[in-house]
Amino acid sequence: MPVHTQPSETVLKELGLARAKLTRLESGIINDSWRAEKSNQEIFVLQRVNPIFPAAINNDIYAVTQHLQQKGMLTPCLVRTPKGELWLEENNNLWRVLTFMPGITRDVLEEPHQAEEAGALLARFHLALSDLELPFSNPRIGVHDTQKHLNALKIALVEHKAHPHYSDIEPLGRKILEIASTLPKLPACTNRMVHGDPKISNFIFDEVTDQAMCLIDLDTLSTMPIILELGDAIRSWCNIEGEESLDAFLSIPFLESSMTGYAREAKDFLIEQEWRALPTATLTITVELAARFATDALIENYFNWNPNRYATASEHNQLRALSQVRLAQSIQTQWNSIQNVIWSSVGLI
């Protein structure tokens, strides 16, 4: 079972959260997070940041959120410690506090209009950051290096044959590599500032209006080709069965709504080459994530997992990988429809 490091009394005091009521937030698969309610009913988010992220990443988050606020966008912000620091390091753990964003988060979308809302918000987010020049402390170079992730899967299949679930994972890994071998080539595109992980659970929706209000989990901020960001968004928003379902498929109505929302706000932000590359980018990111889950099913050292539903991290990641394979197959089957929906949203056909 995974070990989640609980904040000590010393940590809570240093962060200004002594005697705060903590409620663990289970949705994240990277950081450990808690809802922290103080005695005066102020609410914050406490996080133990995954060691994969350097401490200086918080400087990036601070700079970006300050810029977003100046542009009038709602965003979670880092809360300084009583000593004025953006984070706390204690016993090789990195802790921080963020403002709490009230509203609804979803692991899957329920209605196409929610996809349109997500698309519109992501476009506004991209536009708001388009004039920010920031040398990232954590540039995350190659985070979507698909070939690197495929090579990691190949290596894991060779080096972890003694894994107790190898006989189940090996054919799954081979299937992922088979699909990967057919991926169309992505065009070279200009890097732009992006969120880096626009899955739907990183969007906060208003409880009353169901409007998409803000993006959370900003550790993945970086610059990269925007087609990779949007491909990842489509992969998440338009799979209405969720990332742990064997019935995963890409919904054309949700795709149409998400592209309508994004195109309405972005207008001419994307060039034609970028719009035309989105079907390929969506399939590429889906296969890439399948490879990452399959690799971790063998290595078991990266993604958080749910011990209440699965006996091991491997079993949880096997399901996640297989779900992405099913989604990739759905994308392949509906290829012409996906192209038509995306391209028609901006008048390319």
Side-chain angles (χ1 to χ4, degrees), residues 107 243-245 305-312 315-316 319:
D107 290 326
E243 295 190 355
E244 297 182 10
S245 172
W305 58 284
N306 187 345
N308 297 318
R309 294 183 57 191
Y310 305 93
T312 66
E315 291 175 36
H316 195 165
L319 177 61

Side-chain angles (χ1 to χ4, degrees), residues 62-76:
Y62 180 80
V64 168
T65 53
Q66 291 296 299
H67 189 81
L68 289 172
Q69 286 188 317
Q70 291 170 8
K71 291 299 182 76
M73 293 199 68
L74 185 66
T75 180

Side-chain angles (χ1 to χ4, degrees), residues 29 107-108 144 196-202 227-244 248-251 255 258-259 278-279 281-290 292-293 320 323-325 327-328 331 342:
I29 63 174
D107 290 326
V108 294
H144 280 308
D197 187 16
K199 62 187 177 185
I200 200 57
S201 60
N202 283 336
I227 58 174
L228 301 180
E229 171 103 310
L230 289 172
D232 198 15
I234 293 168
R235 177 201 65 77
S236 172
W237 306 349
C238 304
N239 172 17
I240 58 176
E241 295 298 324
E243 295 190 355
E244 297 182 10
F249 75 99
L250 190 135
S251 166
L255 174 63
S258 64
M259 291 295 96
L278 290 187
T282 303
L283 179 58
T284 299
I285 295 299
T286 302
V287 173
E288 178 185 298
L289 185 56
R292 292 178 64 194
F293 283 139
R320 288 165 164 163
S323 180
Q324 293 302 302
V325 167
L327 179 60
I331 294 170
I342 294 176

Side-chain angles (χ1 to χ4, degrees), residues 98-162:
L98 298 118
T99 52
F100 176 76
M101 296 288 103
I104 298 172
T105 59
R106 297 179 168 93
D107 290 326
V108 294
L109 291 179
E110 300 148 1
E111 302 289 343
H113 77 85
Q114 295 164 351
E116 184 172 346
E117 280 289 322
L121 176 59
L122 187 60
R124 293 194 296 271
F125 183 90
H126 288 157
L127 288 169
L129 295 180
S130 63
D131 63 345
L132 175 61
E133 295 183 6
L134 177 66
F136 279 103
S137 301
N138 183 44
R140 303 183 76 233
I141 296 171
V143 64
H144 280 308
D145 184 339
T146 304
Q147 191 56 55
K148 180 186 71 175
H149 293 299
L150 294 172
N151 289 340
L153 175 57
K154 292 176 184 177
I155 293 170
L157 289 171
V158 171
E159 294 184 350
H160 294 271
K161 292 182 179 180

